[in-house]
Amino acid sequence: MNHFGRICIVQLLVLGTLCCVSDLASGQQASEQQAPEQPIIVGTKHSPPFAIKNDDGTWSGISIELWKNLCGELDLEYEFRELTLEQMLRGLERGEIDAGVAAISVTADRHHRMEFCHPHYSTGLGIAVSRQHRASLWASIRQVFSFRLVLFVLSMTCIVAMCGWLFWLFERKRNETVFGSGRRQGVSMGIWWSIVVLLGHKGISPVSIWGRVLATISMLASIAVISLITGVVASALTVRELDIGIGHPSDLRDVRVATVSSSTSAEYLRNRRIAFRTYPTPEEAIQAVDEGKADAVVYDRAILRYLAMLKFNDRIDVLPVSFNLQEYAIALKPGSDLRRPLNEELLRYRATDAWSDLLYRYLGDTQ
């Protein structure tokens, strides 16, 4: 075999080897592409109406159905894993699960530890009370005779006694007919004058200059006092949400408060130094109020309304007050590639009537 023939044989061998290597690499890449992707691990917890575990083990609810719709549009495979809220947040932070779907509120601390999609529901904390408690006579008496009102009455009693003593001191020598029968009777008459002036009677006729000055000041003060007392009693009897003395979150300091452990509401109460007792679930917290173990439940207002309507009908009222605005969103592990496609599909879905219908099915009239 000549030199040219040997060169041709070597070239053919090299080309054959390269083709085999290329085919092997292509086959390996194809097998990798055909390997099934791992499903997305989704943490959730029973928190109706946003995440509801049905009797057959399936999941439904506002957040769950939203997630199912988004994954259906994006052709994503997933599986639910029931966790506590603490386990869910810790798993997201460590990357052990891919997403958290339930009633998860967006806070500054959580946003620092994990990713969030655009919020899909805005709500606030609410207060639920027992309807029986609100309608009772004792509740009305408790409200009218609050600690502040009792303190005010005691202060006015001391002022009336002081004014009575001053009337006797100023009038005892110039008006002996009324105040000249001894100290005890004179001071008693002075107190009577103070009461008459406080009630707006104008028939008092002091003789001394200082007695007239005191009577004038007392008459002017009586106008403000009567107006204040009338306003306090009228508001206590007419404002519906104050039936157990709760018109503002600061009033929670005067009642027994229940909430859910490790929740945004518990953090809110703790930061404002309001004493409270925690329960594992909102149902148990509302049950405590229903049984008289607590006076009020502080928790997400939408969830309180849902539970009051579904399980405690005619026994629990949710007061028409809302505070500490919070937003619910789908939580994702840090650096998740799902955030952008989920956000885009979420914005499309919320612009449709299907989203309004979903909210109406679980919350009724949301106004």
Side-chain angles (χ1 to χ4, degrees):
M1 183 180 295
N2 58 21
H3 180 71
F4 178 76
R6 288 196 294 268
I7 293 175
C8 291
I9 294 173
V10 171
Q11 289 179 342
L12 290 174
L13 290 174
V14 171
L15 289 175
T17 304
L18 291 176
C19 290
C20 291
V21 172
S22 177
D23 291 341
L24 184 62
S26 299
Q28 183 178 0
Q29 184 177 2
S31 63
E32 289 178 354
Q33 292 178 349
Q34 294 175 0
E37 295 182 359
Q38 293 296 323
I40 299 170
I41 305 301
V42 182
T44 188
K45 64 183 292 290
H46 183 69
S47 51
F50 295 92
I52 304 171
K53 187 175 183 180
N54 303 311
D55 295 336
D56 59 358
T58 59
W59 290 88
S60 60
I62 296 174
S63 298
I64 296 293
E65 294 193 28
L66 171 64
W67 172 262
K68 290 179 178 179
N69 183 277
L70 299 182
C71 290
E73 294 295 328
L74 296 173
D75 195 24
L76 298 176
E77 297 293 331
Y78 59 88
E79 65 178 45
F80 289 119
R81 183 177 298 175
E82 186 174 9
L83 303 169
T84 64
L85 180 60
E86 296 86 347
Q87 292 172 336
M88 197 186 313
L89 297 178
R90 186 169 57 250
L92 287 168
E93 185 178 9
R94 297 176 178 176
E96 297 172 352
I97 60 175
D98 300 298
V101 179
I104 304 177
S105 56
V106 183
T107 65
D109 176 65
R110 293 175 183 175
H111 201 280
H112 179 72
R113 296 158 51 193
M114 62 198 68
E115 301 279 354
F116 281 96
C117 292
H118 292 317
H120 57 266
Y121 191 83
S122 297
T123 183
L125 297 181
I127 303 172
V129 298
S130 170
R131 182 172 297 183
Q132 181 180 3
H133 189 168
R134 294 182 61 189
S136 66
L137 176 63
W138 175 242
S140 301
I141 295 175
R142 275 184 59 191
Q143 180 175 343
V144 174
F145 295 99
S146 63
F147 175 76
R148 284 178 289 184
L149 182 60
V150 172
L151 184 62
F152 174 77
V153 171
L154 291 176
S155 300
M156 289 304 304
T157 302
C158 295
I159 293 174
V160 168
M162 177 62 70
C163 289
W165 180 81
L166 290 175
F167 272 129
W168 170 77
L169 184 65
F170 297 150
E171 296 287 313
R172 60 178 177 170
K173 294 182 179 179
R174 301 290 302 276
N175 196 349
E176 295 182 358
T177 303
V178 178
F179 294 94
S181 301
R183 176 181 295 182
R184 178 180 298 179
Q185 294 183 357
V187 172
S188 299
M189 182 56 68
I191 292 176
W192 171 249
W193 272 28
S194 298
I195 295 173
V196 171
V197 171
L198 179 64
L199 295 177
H201 195 277
K202 306 301 188 291
I204 301 300
S205 301
V207 177
S208 66
I209 295 178
W210 286 110
R212 293 174 180 176
V213 171
L214 179 61
T216 301
I217 295 175
S218 300
M219 289 179 184
L220 294 175
S222 68
I223 299 175
V225 170
I226 294 299
S227 300
L228 181 60
I229 293 177
T230 302
V232 170
V233 175
S235 62
L237 294 177
T238 58
V239 180
R240 185 172 182 264
E241 61 265 30
L242 299 182
D243 284 346
I244 64 168
I246 301 176
H248 189 270
S250 60
D251 297 325
L252 293 168
R253 293 185 174 89
D254 301 325
V255 299
R256 297 172 299 169
V257 179
T259 190
V260 179
S261 56
S262 302
S263 62
T264 305
S265 54
E267 182 180 356
Y268 174 88
L269 296 171
R270 188 179 298 108
N271 291 339
R272 284 152 184 79
R273 297 179 175 84
I274 298 175
F276 61 93
R277 183 176 180 181
T278 60
Y279 292 85
T281 64
E283 293 96 326
E284 294 180 59
I286 297 178
Q287 187 68 39
V289 171
D290 191 37
E291 296 174 354
K293 298 177 181 178
D295 298 316
V297 177
V298 177
Y299 198 58
D300 172 77
R301 191 166 186 270
I303 296 178
L304 291 178
R305 287 180 56 194
Y306 174 81
L307 292 174
M309 175 183 65
L310 185 67
K311 297 186 177 182
F312 299 91
N313 192 25
D314 297 329
R315 303 202 310 272
I316 295 294
D317 277 342
V318 180
L319 301 183
V321 293
S322 183
F323 51 96
N324 192 41
L325 179 66
Q326 55 184 342
E327 296 179 318
Y328 287 158
I330 297 172
L332 302 171
K333 66 181 181 180
S336 175
D337 296 332
L338 296 172
R339 186 169 183 266
R340 183 169 182 173
L342 286 174
N343 277 337
E344 292 176 355
E345 192 58 42
L346 173 63
L347 293 177
R348 293 192 191 96
Y349 182 65
R350 289 194 60 182
T352 65
D353 293 336
W355 173 247
S356 301
D357 294 339
L358 176 60
L359 292 179
Y360 185 81
R361 278 196 288 116
Y362 286 98
L363 298 176
D365 186 4
T366 57
Q367 300 296 325

